[in-house]
Amino acid sequence: MTSMPESLESRVADRLRALRDGQLQRTLCPPRGIDFSSNDYLGLANDARLKHAMTRAVDQGGVGSTGSRLLRGDREAFADVERAFAAFKQTERALYFSSGYLANIAVLATLPERGDVIYSDEHNHASIIDGIRLSAAARVVFPHNDVEALARAMRDRPAGGQAFVVTESLFSMDGDVPPLAEYAALCTDRGAALIVDEAHAVGVYGDRGSGLIEASGIERDVCVSVNTAGKALGVSGAFVAGRAWAVDYLIQRARPFIFSTAPPPSLAAALEASLDIIMNEPERRSLLATRVMYLRNTLRRAAVPVPEGFTQIIPIVLGDNDRAVRAAGQLQARGFDVRAIRPPSVAPGTARLRIAVNVGLSDGTIDEFVDVLASTLRDTEQCFAASS
């Protein structure tokens, strides 16, 4: 009789083989070449001021928090940065988590309860999906960015319980934005709570740089937002920002907060420095917007198909998994760090290159990248045409 470990090993081997055969196996690859893939949109991850704030905090308070925030892991640094972030977002309170994944799970597995219903965009991030799965509430997935379909779904749903609408403000794989103002009006009309994940928008959009909630003018209409701190903010972790009662309830009941060791306090110090830079150097956001439009226009002139939009995330949809992997490999070999995105991160048949723009890119670098990209796409297209 086959022992359980051998049986499990065999099953896993079959799963890995299927991933390899479908060009879906992932590999760990450190940064290499010019950055066209990371989420460090404002170039803050290596800013000397953040480094100084973080190293000074390590010297003063050590490298670990030693416990959860409800035990011995709380520090004044967390309260300070939470107050600063709440002011930045113009909300009543903010709560810092060690990752955006945990923040989304905390919000969605805690606020909605049995008898409630969650309406979720079909392109929402995995952390949103998993948070909804952990909730006892009913769930309804509506077509991507379709406010009319959402309105119909909410109208057809029988009354009773609390309704929640959950969306990203800038979708991480498509680079597009939802009709946030229309969602806010619909939620106000139907008595629903609007939850917005600002992971790729916070730090980049709005007069203060606080995100697309601000840019859409719906700050008062959002129950809570989830704001990743490891992307444009350049550090790590995530803030949930919103109504004071919602944040206090998360402290009392959110299992990812209660049962996780607090992040290193030095991260809070670095984040305070990051927020200061974002609020006091709006030219960074302006420069990023300029770089984005330059790359988008240069891609169009080179006949590289790109969707309409204005954001720093530009998908080049190739469809075939193998073609996406080959194209990414050729770009990396030429010195440009671009990664292939495949299912389950995107829908089957929509494998792509995900191009991300950052302020460190020059016009000359962008020109060279587009030349290489266009050539790579032609080569891989010819290769697949010949093999079909």
Side-chain angles (χ1 to χ4, degrees):
M1 182 175 180
T2 304
S3 68
M4 185 178 69
E6 291 176 352
S7 175
L8 177 59
E9 182 181 0
S10 176
R11 186 177 73 185
V12 169
D14 289 341
R15 301 290 190 270
L16 289 173
R17 190 178 305 108
L19 290 173
R20 286 193 297 271
D21 292 345
Q23 287 294 327
L24 291 173
Q25 187 172 27
R26 272 71 176 165
T27 57
L28 297 175
C29 180
R32 59 188 184 193
I34 299 170
D35 180 10
F36 276 88
S37 64
S38 86
N39 302 317
D40 186 23
Y41 306 125
L42 299 179
L44 292 178
N46 279 293
D47 189 280
R49 291 164 288 184
L50 273 68
K51 292 179 181 178
H52 177 67
M54 191 168 182
T55 54
R56 183 175 57 188
V58 169
D59 287 341
Q60 294 173 350
V63 297
S65 62
T66 76
S68 73
R69 296 241 341 240
L70 293 174
L71 292 176
R72 193 177 166 83
D74 198 27
R75 300 290 190 280
E76 282 299 321
F78 294 132
D80 290 343
V81 76
E82 286 166 349
R83 282 191 292 268
F85 194 82
F88 176 58
K89 293 289 287 191
Q90 292 193 350
T91 60
E92 294 174 350
R93 292 277 299 278
L95 187 65
Y96 183 50
F97 286 79
S98 56
S99 76
Y101 204 103
L102 288 180
N104 266 323
I105 289 176
V107 167
L108 293 165
T110 305
L111 294 180
E113 299 179 357
R114 190 174 305 279
D116 296 341
V117 58
I118 305 170
Y119 299 90
S120 175
D121 187 288
E122 66 177 337
H123 286 189
N124 274 339
H125 187 269
S127 60
I128 295 176
I129 295 170
D130 288 353
I132 293 172
R133 287 172 174 168
L134 287 171
S135 170
R139 47 192 180 269
V140 175
V141 177
F142 63 89
H144 181 52
N145 287 349
D146 192 335
V147 68
E148 294 300 327
L150 172 59
R152 287 194 300 272
M154 296 177 77
R155 183 174 61 245
D156 295 341
R157 191 79 186 175
Q162 176 65 52
F164 295 83
V165 174
V166 187
T167 182
E168 299 179 43
S169 64
L170 195 172
F171 286 89
S172 59
M173 293 298 140
D174 295 291
D176 57 349
V177 300
L180 286 176
E182 294 177 71
Y183 286 169
L186 181 61
C187 286
T188 298
D189 181 60
R190 303 294 171 85
L194 180 58
I195 298 173
V196 181
D197 186 327
E198 290 254 70
H200 293 272
V202 64
V204 176
Y205 298 99
D207 291 339
R208 298 188 310 277
S210 71
L212 283 164
I213 291 173
E214 176 199 347
S216 300
I218 61 168
E219 293 102 318
R220 295 184 178 182
D221 302 309
V222 175
C223 177
V224 295
S225 62
V226 176
N227 305 265
T228 304
K231 296 178 172 60
L233 273 61
V235 189
S236 183
F239 294 94
V240 174
R243 310 294 173 84
W245 54 261
V247 171
D248 187 55
Y249 191 62
L250 292 176
I251 293 172
Q252 309 306 315
R253 299 302 301 269
R255 294 170 68 87
F257 180 82
I258 296 169
F259 298 107
S260 290
T261 297
S266 56
L267 296 178
L271 280 168
E272 279 213 77
S274 173
L275 292 174
D276 285 341
I277 293 170
I278 290 170
M279 289 186 287
N280 294 316
E281 297 182 8
E283 61 272 17
R284 283 179 179 264
R285 298 192 294 279
S286 298
L287 177 58
L288 178 61
T290 299
R291 293 284 183 260
V292 168
M293 294 316 299
Y294 187 83
L295 176 54
R296 285 181 174 272
N297 290 333
T298 306
L299 287 168
R300 291 189 186 100
R301 286 195 297 270
V304 175
V306 296
E308 292 296 323
F310 62 87
T311 76
Q312 71 276 16
I313 298 171
I314 306 173
I316 310 296
V317 179
L318 302 180
D320 184 87
N321 296 334
D322 187 45
R323 186 184 177 197
V325 171
R326 290 181 184 228
Q330 290 185 29
L331 287 165
Q332 291 164 16
R334 296 289 296 275
F336 299 102
D337 196 347
V338 175
R339 307 296 172 99
I341 307 297
R342 295 157 287 164
S345 299
V346 294
T350 68
R352 65 196 64 189
L353 303 177
R354 178 187 182 273
I355 311 302
V357 187
N358 66 76
V359 296
L361 301 172
S362 67
D363 289 354
T365 299
I366 290 173
D367 290 339
E368 183 183 358
F369 168 71
V370 172
D371 286 343
V372 173
L373 174 62
S375 174
T376 296
L377 295 181
R378 287 192 297 269
D379 290 345
T380 57
E381 184 177 23
Q382 292 168 3
C383 175
F384 276 83
S387 62
S388 62

